[in-house]
Amino acid sequence: MFILENLGCAHCASKMEAKIQELPGVEEAAITYATKQLRLVAEHPWELLPEIEKICTSIESEVRVVPKEQKASAGCRAKIYMLENLGCAHCASKMEAKIQELPGVEEAVITYATRQLRVLAQDPEGLLPEIRRICTSIESEVLVREKETTLDRGKTGKTEQAGAGKKGDQSHESKEKRELFALILGALLFVAGIGLSWAGAGELLVLAVYVAAYLILGSKVLLEAFRNLSHGQMFDENFLMSLATLGAFAIREYPEAVGIMLFYRVGEYFEHRAVERSRGQIMEAVDMRPEVVNLVQREEVQVIAAGEAQVGDVLLIRPGDRIPLDGVILEGESRLDTSPITGEPVPVAVAQGDQVTSGCVNTSGQLKMRVERPLEESMVTRILDSVENAAAKKPKIDRFITRFSRIYTPVVVVLALVTAILPSLVTGDWNYWIYTALTFLVMSCPCALVLSVPLAFFSAIGAGSRRGILFKGGASMEALGRLRAVVMDKTGTVTEGNFQLQRVVSAGAYPEEELLRICASCEQYSTHPIAGSITAAAWERGISLEKPLTLEEIAGHGITAELPVGEVLCGNRKLLAEKKIQVPTLEEGAYGAEVFLAVNGSFEGYFLISDTIKPDAQSAVNRLKAMGLHTAMLTGDSVDSAEAVARETGMDDVYAKLLPQDKLDILTKIRQEQGSVMFVGDGINDAPVLAGADVGAAMGSGADAAIEAADAVFMTSSVESIPQAIVIAKRANRIAVQNVVFALAVKVAVMILGLVGFANMWMAVFADTGVAMICVLNSVRVLYQK
């Protein structure tokens, strides 16, 4: 048995399986995508490992084949650390690469958007000193600390949190003020230097003013460059900017050197502010965890930390308050704004006995609720954890850009060196070509690329969570953007999953209401779901039921009873056929479970009970078809029932009377015919199909096994969530590509303009920090698009 680490494509897994099956000596090869396991039956499986690795990496380059025994014996544990003061996306990728190389580390992932480091290692706590050393050697101000747990956060209480937050805010604000003061003072000295130069002042005075301005603006950059250089960080942004500006001083371009440093620092200042604002907006949208709750004790209300609230505690929810924890209403009536959790704009009425979900906002009446789940298990925490986990699962384009950035900077630096020397030897114009080379150095940092791609996906994850759509990673969002077909399970996905009486059809002797009274009187003692739907329909219409004189329930057939009207039979065709009662053919288009009624040996009518189609199913399917996607529905129900639902919703294809194992076969067939496929389901038997699809999505009301196997979860259980998720994913993919193309195009254009004599270092700084800021703002668009 082998584990296929980093396996990200179900279709690729099937290709690997087929090729491994062809290897000499292999009797059987089976890859289970859900568990990422390869089961191999062969004479010498260990000898085949190199060939298996070759096959797997040729199909999906990042897959690692690990013997299951080795994986199990490793005893790795996951640990999350926060990287405070992390300010450079490119530096984050360097840290990640170095931490990954530490002995005992199975995996290390830094998510720049959340400033989180996830380490999977045998002893992650023991590696902390080395991790800290690596991080500070690359970016000296970075502090590595353990992530605060949900319970820790909840137990700190409002006062302590506020105090800590205030202290941190004051420190950050003071730092920003000092930075802004340095920028203003440096800018004033820069303007003064230009003025003195125009006024014909002495060269030494002008130089002194420029040097003073340069030191005020660039001292931080120079110190950081020297510190990083001592740690072997040659291709660091600070070092390259220092080299470029000091080179400008060397060729007596004083205004250029100071002006470039000023422009760079101003661009960096606004870029950091844009990133912080974007990060704050996204986290604010998804982090709805409460700090405190109002605990009701007898007639008093006590404010306690949210983490201290226990299951069974009674909490007071005032108008305007957010529901802090998952629970049930004990007292009061109100309307809840559920849009923060489900994206549904219409407020929902709640009263005593109703379940409420944390994160919703109480809009009107005062409520008392009983806690059903503690803070660490509540919906608000699950959403936040899901978003953070998703952000750590990087898409392929992100991993590609990270690898590309490691090559890009050295290549541009070498190109700058060649530009400085070779043309100068030919033309003798050293000043011009050195100046051109310096512009290349300014553009050699790939921060715009490394920063903007993950931020685009993180924004999309935040946008999805605001609409009740939880993506489990960037890879699944990438796959959503390439879909060609959407396949749905019927019950619980397209339909509500509840039996309801749809129609009462009388044969003529009795009116519909009387037929319902007779049938419900017989069915009222049955526990069968169909019997329950008939009884519930009679109660809803206010029909009084009679107690049968005699009653017998025949398993698999129905009920025989004695009522004042006579002998009553209500059940399926088999029951009436046994009593030799003729049942007519149902009218075309009718679907669902039929219950036939006969009184005193005469057929009197029938009842049609079926699952209710979700109100948004048809519009959602139409939206999917408008996107050019093929739609199909799979179900174990009868052909007539399935075709009727497919007809009403507008599905392209429908497959009925399927066993759970049949669904995966049909899914494979659709993938071969149409291409990349998404499956949406909610049942336990859907878990293998969800795992086997290119993208699996589960309804939030479904089974835990289905939700666990899925790549996305629709908390609202709404069919409209399917096209919404695809739209968000496509936007994220489109914006990520836009950012990459725009950043590279601007950098290449400025390089070409520099070579032909039309570019300067001002344009180069724009190609670095200016482009990064534009890409950041472009990435955050996903969060606000409708």
Side-chain angles (χ1 to χ4, degrees), residues 506-546:
S506 173
Y510 294 95
E512 290 181 8
E513 196 159 299
E514 181 61 17
L515 276 182
L516 181 56
R517 186 183 65 78
I518 295 170
C519 188
S521 295
C522 296
E523 301 279 14
Q524 61 183 313
Y525 300 108
S526 174
T527 57
H528 196 283
I530 291 177
S533 66
I534 293 172
T535 306
W539 287 340
E540 283 175 10
R541 301 185 192 187
I543 297 172
S544 59
L545 306 183
E546 297 175 310

Side-chain angles (χ1 to χ4, degrees), residues 217-526:
L217 292 166
S219 58
K220 178 186 170 186
V221 176
L222 292 169
L223 284 170
E224 197 66 31
F226 178 76
R227 189 183 291 114
N228 291 342
L229 191 60
S230 67
H231 291 111
Q233 299 292 326
M234 265 204 69
F235 297 125
D236 168 72
E237 186 178 28
N238 294 292
F239 173 73
L240 295 168
M241 184 56 66
S242 301
L243 188 63
T245 50
L246 290 172
F249 262 107
I251 59 174
R252 307 174 77 85
E253 292 284 351
Y254 312 132
E256 200 90 344
V258 179
I260 293 309
M261 186 60 80
L262 172 64
F263 195 8
Y264 169 72
R265 288 294 306 280
V266 169
E268 188 185 47
Y269 176 79
F270 283 110
E271 178 193 328
H272 283 175
R273 288 197 63 135
V275 171
E276 288 301 316
R277 184 175 174 80
S278 304
R279 181 188 283 122
Q281 286 171 336
I282 296 166
M283 293 309 293
E284 193 176 300
V286 297
D287 191 357
M288 296 173 285
R289 295 173 300 170
E291 292 179 349
V292 294
V293 295
N294 299 314
L295 178 67
V296 178
Q297 291 184 321
R298 296 184 182 89
E299 297 302 318
E300 295 182 358
V301 177
Q302 181 184 354
V303 178
I304 64 168
E308 294 177 359
Q310 304 293 319
V311 173
D313 283 351
V314 177
L315 307 180
L316 179 68
I317 317 295
R318 299 184 180 95
D321 287 351
R322 194 183 290 275
I323 304 295
L325 305 170
D326 296 356
V328 63
I329 301 295
L330 295 179
E331 187 181 306
E333 293 183 3
S334 184
R335 298 186 78 82
L336 298 185
D337 175 10
T338 63
S339 59
I341 299 296
T342 66
E344 180 60 49
V346 181
V348 176
V350 292
Q352 183 179 349
D354 288 339
Q355 296 282 339
V356 289
T357 303
S358 53
C360 301
V361 178
N362 181 23
T363 62
S364 50
Q366 185 165 283
L367 301 170
K368 285 184 182 178
M369 63 166 280
R370 183 179 65 244
V371 177
E372 298 287 308
R373 288 181 180 172
L375 179 60
E376 60 268 26
E377 295 176 16
S378 288
M379 180 64 70
V380 287
T381 302
R382 287 169 58 198
I383 288 175
L384 180 65
D385 289 346
S386 176
V387 169
E388 290 180 341
N389 291 337
K393 295 176 183 176
K394 300 181 179 181
K396 287 183 181 178
I397 187 172
D398 192 354
R399 296 196 292 267
F400 165 75
I401 289 298
T402 301
R403 291 196 300 271
F404 173 77
S405 66
R406 292 170 191 161
I407 302 167
Y408 169 81
T409 301
V411 166
V412 176
V413 171
V414 169
L415 187 60
L417 192 63
V418 171
T419 303
I421 296 171
L422 291 184
S424 300
L425 291 173
V426 176
T427 63
D429 192 352
W430 286 88
N431 269 21
Y432 171 77
W433 290 110
I434 288 174
Y435 180 83
T436 303
L438 294 176
T439 66
F440 284 19
L441 288 180
V442 172
M443 290 183 291
S444 60
C445 182
C447 266
L449 297 169
V450 180
L451 171 65
S452 60
V453 170
L455 193 58
F457 283 96
F458 187 49
S459 297
I461 290 166
S465 69
R466 292 171 73 173
R467 293 165 175 81
I469 301 167
L470 300 185
F471 297 105
K472 291 193 178 178
S476 59
M477 295 181 74
E478 260 184 340
L480 273 169
R482 299 191 299 266
L483 283 184
R484 302 301 306 159
V486 176
V487 179
M488 301 175 224
D489 181 48
K490 182 177 84 70
T491 307
T493 301
V494 180
T495 63
E496 298 283 3
N498 58 344
F499 283 104
Q500 288 188 356
L501 178 64
Q502 302 294 337
R503 295 177 63 188
V504 180
V505 180
S506 173
Y510 294 95
E512 290 181 8
E513 196 159 299
E514 181 61 17
L515 276 182
L516 181 56
R517 186 183 65 78
I518 295 170
C519 188
S521 295
C522 296
E523 301 279 14
Q524 61 183 313
Y525 300 108
S526 174

Side-chain angles (χ1 to χ4, degrees), residues 30-43:
I31 293 176
T32 308
Y33 181 74
T35 58
K36 294 184 170 57
Q37 291 185 1
L38 163 62
R39 181 177 173 273
L40 193 67
V41 179
E43 292 178 7

